[in-house]
Amino acid sequence: MIELAPSILSADFARLAEQVRAAGEGGASVIHLDIMDGHFVPNMTIGPPVVKSLRKATKLPLDCHLMIENPDQYIPEFVEAGANWMSVHQEACRHLNRTLNLIKSHYCLAGVVINPATPVDALSEVLDIVDYVLVMSVNPGFGAQKFIPSTLHKMSRLAEIRNQRGLNYRIEVDGGVSLDTVSEVVRAGAEILVAGNAVFGKGDPKKNAQDLLRAATEAALQKV
Ligand code: DX5
Ligand code: ZN
């Protein structure tokens, strides 16, 4: 099943509740929150207080994408604030297995993320414990960047490995997903589509979400 996860990074932070509601009315089924610390990535965004406020503003699951150093130190706080899904970067975790199990021990869905320069092979030992794998299709840190097409083969590879090994993680894509790129990411195997600028950048988030989901669903139908 294809799901749309709008990233609030491109939303108007003074009108978050309203914008998230509009995206939900357009069919979004998960809300993606980009947590940046100014160390792992060259930008800073939000922390647990915003997660806590959004938790009260929507019933949709909150997908917290941690782009931070030492994620173990903050995972319990994000859980407490209301995160339902939590992903950590392979590149930020010295003890990746431990960190993923820590997320799972809090009854959150656990995801692992790879940057454009990180190969799928780097995940071979954790694919059996994750609920989802997030393939970054831009270098993390900012919204509205250009999609990097060389990341597409990683989505297909993850789908292939899942089949071969009988696993059941889901495949998420993040960065530069728009009406121009949504068909190719879906054809490559992505099932959870993060989109910031394409949903909140301009126009009506409800209509933007509807248009993206329609294009994604059409591409998924062509695939089978
Ligand atoms: C980038 C973030 C993304 C970002 C995507 O570091 O992880 O979630 O918001 O934004 P768009 O869809 O605008 O590329
Ligand atoms: Zn993200």
Side-chain angles (χ1 to χ4, degrees):
M1 192 184 86
I2 300 288
E3 290 195 74
L4 180 65
S7 158
I8 62 160
L9 190 59
S10 293
D12 177 348
F13 275 57
R15 295 161 56 221
L16 271 187
E18 181 192 321
Q19 297 222 306
V20 162
R21 192 180 322 114
E25 284 167 8
S29 47
V30 182
I31 300 299
H32 185 85
L33 282 76
D34 289 304
I35 316 293
M36 305 187 188
D37 66 352
H39 293 278
F40 179 67
V41 286
N43 194 7
M44 284 192 274
T45 54
I46 58 165
V50 178
V51 178
K52 195 172 171 188
S53 297
L54 258 186
R55 179 66 293 156
K56 292 181 214 143
T58 180
K59 289 199 164 58
L60 296 178
L62 301 180
D63 171 23
C64 290
H65 173 191
L66 303 188
M67 285 162 274
I68 61 177
E69 304 281 5
N70 296 323
D72 295 36
Q73 195 182 329
Y74 301 98
I75 285 166
E77 241 183 290
F78 282 105
V79 173
E80 179 70 19
N84 307 97
W85 304 14
M86 203 154 0
S87 62
V88 290
H89 273 257
Q90 183 272 344
E91 305 86 359
C93 297
R94 193 166 288 168
H95 303 289
L96 185 57
N97 177 289
R98 176 190 287 152
T99 305
L100 291 167
N101 280 315
L102 176 64
I103 298 173
K104 286 159 68 116
S105 74
H106 286 285
Y107 304 101
C108 259
L109 294 190
V112 66
V113 195
I114 45 174
N115 280 335
T118 305
V120 165
D121 290 352
L123 301 180
S124 63
E125 302 303 319
V126 295
L127 288 178
D128 57 339
I129 60 168
V130 294
D131 297 294
Y132 62 107
V133 179
L134 171 48
V135 176
M136 288 306 301
S137 41
V138 297
N139 287 296
F142 304 94
Q145 301 183 81
K146 198 173 169 314
F147 181 79
I148 301 174
S150 59
T151 58
L152 282 168
H153 77 95
K154 295 199 271 185
M155 301 164 214
S156 343
R157 181 72 189 125
L158 281 162
E160 194 176 71
I161 296 173
R162 179 172 59 190
N163 239 348
Q164 284 165 355
R165 291 178 54 183
L167 298 174
N168 47 29
Y169 53 80
R170 300 181 71 201
I171 303 168
E172 183 173 28
V173 59
D174 185 2
V177 174
S178 68
L179 282 177
D180 293 333
T181 54
V182 70
S183 303
E184 49 187 346
V185 298
V186 169
R187 283 200 301 267
E191 300 146 333
I192 302 157
L193 314 172
V194 176
N197 190 49
V199 173
F200 297 115
K202 58 175 189 308
D204 174 15
K206 175 176 172 181
K207 180 173 187 307
N208 294 340
Q210 280 170 337
D211 291 348
L212 269 176
L213 267 174
R214 190 174 308 117
T217 311
E218 273 167 27
L221 286 172
Q222 281 165 20
K223 218 177 84 176
V224 283

